[in-house]
Amino acid sequence: IIKNQDNLKESEIILHQISSWKNQLIDENNVHSYIVDEQTTLAAAAYKEYSKMMRAYNAVDFDDLILLPNKLFTEKQEILDKWQNKIRYLLVDEYQDTNDAQYQLIKQICRFRKAFTVVGDDDQSIYGWRGATLKNILNFDTNFKDVLVVKLEDNYRSTDTILNHANLLIEH
């Protein structure tokens, strides 16, 4: 897709942009309103070609594993209904590192049954660079009404020295 392999930095920027669009649930046919400069113009063209190649090989990438079910559930209510009934309980670990697409997928699957558990620590959010949004865990009890929030605030795995240093880092 990227013809000039000498410019690895440009390729990484383009791949990051494609991943970012996918994590915002924007497919290759809907990027036109997000094109603001030469870089995003190039990324949009690469996204279209990349998607075409992935379909030709009947392949998906990591971001597609979230984007495609979201798209399918939005377009096909009967399939969403099937999965809402099939998944009785859902556990999401490291919830503080979910992105908008992952949040939407969880919300779609658990909309009615609301039989799910999330585990996370807002002080341990480390994947903002890859699209994770801390608001998912901070607004959990607002976004999902009638849930029980259990805060595990005692740490039994670390010594006081480790915890004191960790808390100093968290303050910054």
Side-chain angles (χ1 to χ4, degrees), residues 1 3 8 18 24 53 65 67 73 77 81 84 129 132 145 169:
I1 295 171
K3 303 285 189 227
L8 187 59
I18 292 170
Q24 296 172 60
M53 291 175 66
L65 296 174
L67 172 69
F73 290 163
Q77 183 63 45
D81 291 343
Q84 284 175 334
W129 58 272
K145 303 288 186 210
L169 288 172

Side-chain angles (χ1 to χ4, degrees), residues 3-77:
K3 303 285 189 227
N4 183 358
Q5 292 299 321
D6 295 333
N7 195 343
L8 187 59
K9 181 70 172 165
E10 184 176 289
S11 299
E12 290 173 359
I13 291 169
I14 289 170
L15 291 172
H16 181 71
Q17 180 62 66
I18 292 170
S19 179
S20 177
W21 281 330
K22 287 183 177 191
N23 288 325
Q24 296 172 60
L25 301 176
I26 302 165
D27 67 22
E28 72 276 9
N29 298 314
N30 295 310
V31 295
H32 54 279
S33 59
Y34 300 91
I35 296 173
V36 295
D37 56 18
E38 185 178 328
Q39 191 73 48
T40 52
T41 301
L42 185 58
Y47 189 8
K48 282 187 183 278
E49 187 64 26
Y50 176 68
S51 296
K52 181 179 166 184
M53 291 175 66
M54 294 296 278
R55 279 190 300 278
Y57 286 103
N58 200 25
V60 296
D61 62 21
F62 180 77
D63 296 320
D64 289 331
L65 296 174
I66 305 298
L67 172 69
L68 295 176
N70 265 299
K71 187 175 179 182
L72 183 66
F73 290 163
T74 301
E75 295 172 357
K76 306 279 188 186
Q77 183 63 45

Side-chain angles (χ1 to χ4, degrees), residues 111-124:
R111 181 177 302 149
F112 299 111
R113 183 166 285 150
K114 295 183 183 173
F116 65 106
T117 301
V118 302
V119 179
D121 181 348
D122 55 335
D123 288 329
Q124 293 185 26

Side-chain angles (χ1 to χ4, degrees), residues 160-171:
D160 285 341
T161 303
I162 292 171
L163 291 173
N164 290 336
H165 284 86
N167 287 328
L168 285 173
L169 288 172
I170 289 168
E171 286 177 19

Side-chain angles (χ1 to χ4, degrees), residues 54-115:
M54 294 296 278
R55 279 190 300 278
Y57 286 103
N58 200 25
V60 296
D61 62 21
F62 180 77
D63 296 320
D64 289 331
L65 296 174
I66 305 298
L67 172 69
L68 295 176
N70 265 299
K71 187 175 179 182
L72 183 66
F73 290 163
T74 301
E75 295 172 357
K76 306 279 188 186
Q77 183 63 45
E78 66 277 6
I79 295 175
L80 174 59
D81 291 343
K82 175 185 174 185
W83 282 98
Q84 284 175 334
N85 289 318
K86 187 176 186 99
I87 298 174
R88 295 189 54 202
Y89 303 99
L90 183 68
L91 169 65
V92 181
D93 195 12
E94 303 296 343
Y95 189 74
Q96 77 277 359
D97 287 323
T98 57
N99 61 34
D100 288 334
Q102 292 165 325
Y103 167 77
Q104 288 301 326
L105 188 60
I106 294 162
K107 188 175 173 185
Q108 286 186 65
I109 291 171
C110 299
R111 181 177 302 149
F112 299 111
R113 183 166 285 150
K114 295 183 183 173

